[in-house]
Amino acid sequence: MPRFLKNKQFIFVIVIAVALISAMAYTYGGGRNVTPIESAIGGILSPVEKAFNSIGNSISNFFTSIKEIGTLRAKNAELEKEVIKLSKNDIMLQEYINENNRLRDMLNFKDNNTNITTKPANIISKNPGNWFNTFNIDVGSDNGIKPKMAVLDEKGNLVGIVTDVGNNWSKVLSIIDVDSSVSALDVRTRDNGIVRGDSNGNLNMIYIPIDSKIEKGDVITTSDMSMFPRGLIIGKVEKVEKDEGSLLKQAVIKPEADFERLEFVQVVTNMKTTGN
Amino acid sequence: MRSIYKYLLIILAIILQATLMKYIAILGVKPDALLILVIAFSLLNGTGESITLSLFGGILVDVLFNNAIGFVTISLLIVAYLTGILSKNVFRESTFVAFVFVFLGTILYNLIMIFSMLLMKYELNPSYLLNVVIIQSVYNSIITIFIYRYIVRFNSFVKSKKFFFKV
């Protein structure tokens, strides 16, 4: 018998490692209600996390406001100009909306976006490691949250998907995580593709047909084929490149949601894939 | 069981890491307080402690944050166990030794993480991998230089003193 097999501690470590690998295989992919023990761990720690997170936010707000004092006047003038421009735009938009409504009625389209109901939530903590882009929010199954619900930021841009749900907390996988993939659509050219995270803050859209006219600046939204509601804005195209060795294109996409400064999110509660 | 203070310290480190650490990230890479603590305690107290602390901290992080339970725990366990074994042959209380252990430990930790991600068929971005591994190992080991002596003091304090309540 080899010497290391006599070392009980070593064998213990190996047994634990095997157990952990099976746990990994079992829990991978999310989409489950977590076990009562896991739920309790999160439930105990989430108020503490919430407190520390708000401390962190107030500290960073303090420093940003100091930084901004000098530029306030210039910024104000700029904003006033912006207001005039926007109010002009608004009138124009109203015109477009009316026209759009008429056309929509004509085509008998059903607008999915008007019947989304959401539940607001606070982000209480982010993944402490560098490899994964997940975060925890302070609502859970008590508030009617179920796995696989879409998570949006305040403005309604797609942020991620709920993976695991505890009683009063849930884990959210952001779309910029390497593990995330979303079926997407270029609004202008109607090209379908899959948007995947590359973990340093950008997204890659793959499987775009080679003859597509996708360009820098195009808006990418969720498509009808994904489990998300359609028409949620994902981001804008930043760069288009030809995929080496295959007859497909891919594009680098800058996400519309600001993942660095995310504080509040909203969870879409009436999704068809979650049984509602 | 006096080491409950170590467990409390680890919980505090994880919470600080998850809430405040994003403000001191360099090029988007955060240092890993949990990893530093676990390596330091394994170095000081050997394999037994390395197993219990890495299991405790790793499972806590995995349950709270990760998509698959075990990602962090298994990497942490391997790094801490190796540190525990090797710590027999070095001068444990030297900051330089801790510096080397944390530097190499962080590299190994991230490599195991990458390996498990490859097994899970993640699509990885090579330049980002290199960034995380290099920046984090430098960042972690520099932090170790400054805090290791306090960890040593805390460790001997936990070993020697009587506390307000018995645990």
Side-chain angles (χ1 to χ4, degrees):
Chain A
M1 197 159 82
R3 199 166 58 90
F4 64 84
L5 282 182
K6 285 181 191 149
N7 185 344
K8 278 193 189 127
Q9 205 173 37
F10 183 76
I11 293 169
F12 181 61
V13 169
I14 297 292
V15 169
I16 293 175
V18 172
L20 283 173
I21 291 171
S22 10
M24 228 147 112
Y26 176 71
T27 55
Y28 175 67
R32 65 203 175 90
N33 281 311
V34 298
T35 58
I37 302 170
E38 290 176 62
S39 177
I41 293 174
I44 294 165
L45 289 183
S46 66
V48 191
E49 286 171 338
K50 222 187 269 188
F52 274 103
N53 202 33
S54 68
I55 293 171
N57 282 335
S58 53
I59 292 173
S60 90
N61 282 345
F62 176 70
F63 282 111
T64 24
S65 49
I66 287 180
K67 230 192 290 173
E68 278 169 355
I69 285 173
T71 58
L72 275 183
R73 196 183 296 273
K75 202 168 183 185
N76 197 21
E78 203 177 289
L79 285 177
E80 262 162 24
K81 243 183 255 167
E82 190 88 9
V83 167
I84 298 169
K85 204 176 102 193
L86 283 180
S87 53
K88 271 185 205 155
N89 273 356
D90 195 37
I91 300 168
M92 226 159 72
L93 271 181
Q94 207 58 49
E95 211 69 29
Y96 281 133
I97 288 172
N98 291 341
E99 190 186 350
N100 188 19
N101 281 343
R102 274 204 309 279
L103 289 174
R104 193 187 300 281
D105 287 346
M106 229 150 65
L107 286 168
N108 213 357
F109 259 127
K110 189 167 174 291
D111 189 6
N112 283 330
N113 284 351
T114 50
N115 53 19
I116 285 178
T117 58
T118 59
K119 176 133 203 91
N122 290 310
I123 293 180
I124 49 173
S125 54
K126 294 194 175 178
N127 194 312
N130 290 306
W131 295 114
F132 307 106
N133 279 293
T134 60
F135 54 85
N136 293 355
I137 54 177
D138 64 351
V139 291
S141 54
D142 291 351
N143 311 74
I145 305 297
K146 294 202 177 94
K148 296 202 173 148
M149 282 178 170
V151 179
L152 318 177
D153 74 353
E154 300 129 276
K155 300 185 194 90
N157 304 313
L158 185 65
V159 166
I161 182 170
V162 175
T163 54
D164 304 72
V165 177
N167 277 341
N168 57 356
W169 62 289
S170 345
K171 285 185 221 174
V172 177
L173 179 75
S174 354
I175 50 172
I176 54 171
D177 190 280
V178 277
D179 198 21
S180 147
S181 59
V182 182
S183 170
L185 179 86
D186 185 323
V187 173
R188 194 174 57 85
T189 64
R190 317 306 293 173
D191 290 316
N192 274 304
I194 305 282
V195 167
R196 299 170 89 156
D198 69 353
S199 150
N200 46 1
N202 276 324
L203 300 162
N204 277 327
M205 183 160 171
I206 53 174
Y207 303 140
I208 307 171
I210 192 79
D211 59 346
S212 121
K213 304 223 166 34
I214 185 166
E215 267 175 17
K216 187 180 169 185
D218 284 0
V219 176
I220 305 294
T221 64
T222 50
S223 85
D224 233 353
M225 282 174 272
S226 68
M227 56 187 171
F228 297 104
R230 58 174 261 210
L232 300 174
I233 294 173
I234 298 174
K236 287 206 177 85
V237 175
E238 199 162 63
K239 199 168 73 181
V240 181
E241 50 204 27
K242 193 169 169 289
D243 196 358
E244 289 299 323
S246 76
L247 295 171
L248 295 165
K249 274 183 179 177
Q250 59 180 21
V252 177
I253 291 162
K254 195 166 171 42
E256 198 68 14
D258 185 354
F259 285 91
E260 289 298 315
R261 280 161 213 85
L262 218 50
E263 279 175 48
F264 309 104
V265 291
Q266 36 188 349
V267 185
V268 179
T269 46
N270 61 340
M271 285 174 60
K272 49 180 190 263
T273 45
T274 53
N276 275 337
Chain B
M1 265 301 274
R2 274 188 304 206
S3 57
I4 191 164
Y5 292 91
K6 282 175 198 163
Y7 293 97
L8 290 178
L9 184 68
I10 281 180
I11 292 177
L12 183 72
I14 292 171
I15 290 172
L16 287 181
Q17 178 95 24
T19 53
L20 300 180
M21 236 24 142
K22 60 188 170 193
Y23 299 113
I24 59 163
I26 291 181
L27 296 176
V29 177
K30 293 174 271 187
D32 198 328
L34 174 65
L35 182 64
I36 298 175
L37 278 182
V38 168
I39 290 182
F41 285 130
S42 315
L43 196 57
L44 289 169
N45 305 325
T47 49
E49 184 130 319
S50 72
I51 295 172
T52 50
L53 287 183
S54 64
L55 278 182
F56 177 76
I59 287 178
L60 201 57
V61 167
D62 277 331
V63 163
L64 281 175
F65 304 103
N66 281 346
N67 201 7
I69 290 170
F71 260 126
V72 168
T73 317
I74 205 159
S75 322
L76 207 59
L77 178 70
I78 293 171
V79 171
Y81 189 61
L82 284 179
T83 308
I85 292 172
L86 294 174
S87 71
K88 283 174 199 156
N89 309 317
V90 296
F91 180 57
R92 295 172 165 184
E93 270 143 42
S94 145
T95 301
F96 178 71
V97 169
F99 173 83
V100 173
F101 268 90
V102 170
F103 186 79
L104 297 178
T106 310
I107 293 177
L108 180 63
Y109 172 82
N110 282 317
L111 289 182
I112 297 167
M113 208 82 131
I114 293 170
F115 181 68
S116 20
M117 283 160 83
L118 284 177
L119 286 185
M120 295 265 187
K121 293 204 170 171
Y122 281 59
E123 283 222 351
L124 300 172
N125 177 349
S127 65
Y128 183 70
L129 300 187
L130 214 61
N131 262 0
V132 169
V133 176
I134 293 173
I135 296 173
Q136 203 191 31
S137 35
V138 173
Y139 205 169
N140 274 355
S141 43
I142 288 176
I143 288 176
T144 312
I145 295 178
F146 292 105
I147 64 165
Y148 190 64
R149 67 193 84 160
Y150 300 107
I151 297 178
V152 173
R153 218 175 285 169
F154 176 80
N155 192 53
S156 50
F157 185 70
V158 169
K159 264 187 193 164
S160 62
K161 291 274 180 180
K162 277 181 187 163
F163 287 97
F164 303 118
F165 58 93
K166 261 191 186 161
V167 272

